[in-house]
Amino acid sequence: MKRREFITLLGGAAAWPLAAQAQQPAMPVIGFLGAGSVDTWVLYVAAFRKGLNETGFVEGQNVAIEYRWAEGQYERMAELAADLVRRQVAVIAVPGNSPGARASKAATATIPIVFGVGDDPVKAGLVASIGRPGGNATGVNFFTSDVVAKRLALLHDLVPGAARVAALLNPNDATRAEAVLSDLQAAARIIGVQLQIYNASTSGEIDAAFAALVRERADALFIGPDPFFNTRRVQLATMAARHSLPTSYFEREFVAAGGLMSYGTSQADAYRLAGVYAGRILKGEKPADLPVLLPTKFELVINLKTAKALGLTVPSSLLAIADEVIE
């Protein structure tokens, strides 16, 4: 064999792996639009990945995920959703994020969307119906708004002497805030407590709200369900402890951070379900044919250490129905 022929042969052999690599299908990309920040969403991202794993997808192996974080600034949702659409991702995942779900739906009518919302997805215009979504979106309904009355009743059971209950809402998600306020007012009339409403959409406004509700002598506090408050859970739990204010939260992570009690849908399980749906869509199923999932797992979590610090005795009736008691 002549030297020139040998070199040509080697060149061709070296090209074979490159040609084979070029023929491999591109790895699908999921666009993950989070309402909070990467450091406060670690648990939820892990749950979403777990759902993907259940359908055979592993991040970095056969699926890629592009993350976009609003860091509690809902006005950025439209910009972030548009960026994912320009990226031409295979699926947009917006679990636990009503503003992001609405922004994504407005940004594209073709890219599949898997949402997770606490308000009614039909009223929000995300789907045509729960059973047959139609269009390009489906997902999970967390029911965080629908359990408002139950949360207020549980708070009253723990603090029966509370005549004035403050509620902290985020006005930046007006749709959810108005729904929660309506449910709260109806529940307060039945229970017989006076509501004091405060708004906050920044860390500074949370501090200001606490100063006001302490000045106005609130007996207990109800934190409205909202992703922004998730990003400030340590601040909220710390402020409640500092002012000796019994407080009800909408999910377990607040109680783990030192909060008194929480009741609501298991958020981790809801994110897992969103991951399962994202995986099923990557395999070829259509959002229009996947019914909106309605979680059946609700959790009552109580922090006994915090209760003791507040001078509260948790009734045995509450302990008996609690899913988790943190000591």
Side-chain angles (χ1 to χ4, degrees), residues 168-187:
L168 187 64
L169 307 176
N170 182 0
N172 278 1
D173 187 354
T175 301
R176 175 180 290 191
E178 290 168 6
V180 171
L181 178 57
S182 177
D183 291 343
L184 267 176
Q185 290 171 331

Side-chain angles (χ1 to χ4, degrees), residues 67-187:
Y67 296 95
R68 300 291 184 273
W69 300 102
E71 298 182 341
Q73 301 174 46
Y74 295 165
E75 66 275 11
R76 297 185 58 211
M77 289 297 183
E79 166 199 344
L80 296 173
D83 182 46
L84 290 174
V85 171
R86 284 192 298 271
R87 176 71 174 78
Q88 295 185 325
V89 296
V91 180
I92 297 177
V94 280
N97 184 352
S98 296
R102 293 193 292 268
S104 299
K105 183 69 174 173
T108 178
T110 55
I111 296 176
I113 298 167
V114 177
F115 58 72
V117 296
D119 43 356
D120 187 334
V122 178
K123 289 182 180 178
L126 297 173
V127 297
S129 71
I130 297 295
R132 296 188 65 81
N136 64 320
T138 188
V140 186
N141 190 340
F142 293 166
F143 278 141
T144 48
S145 296
D146 289 353
V147 298
V148 164
K150 177 71 170 178
R151 275 185 58 203
L152 187 61
L154 289 168
L155 177 60
H156 188 256
D157 289 344
L158 183 52
V159 195
R164 295 177 300 276
V165 177
L168 187 64
L169 307 176
N170 182 0
N172 278 1
D173 187 354
T175 301
R176 175 180 290 191
E178 290 168 6
V180 171
L181 178 57
S182 177
D183 291 343
L184 267 176
Q185 290 171 331

Side-chain angles (χ1 to χ4, degrees), residues 13 32 48 56 60 78-79 83-84 87 93 97 104 122 164 181 187 200 207 226 246 267-268 299 302 313 323-324 327:
F32 186 102
F48 179 78
E79 166 199 344
D83 182 46
L84 290 174
R87 176 71 174 78
N97 184 352
S104 299
V122 178
R164 295 177 300 276
L181 178 57
D207 289 339
D226 189 272
Q267 295 287 298
E299 299 176 326
I302 299 172
T313 299
D323 296 278
E324 183 179 359
E327 304 183 66

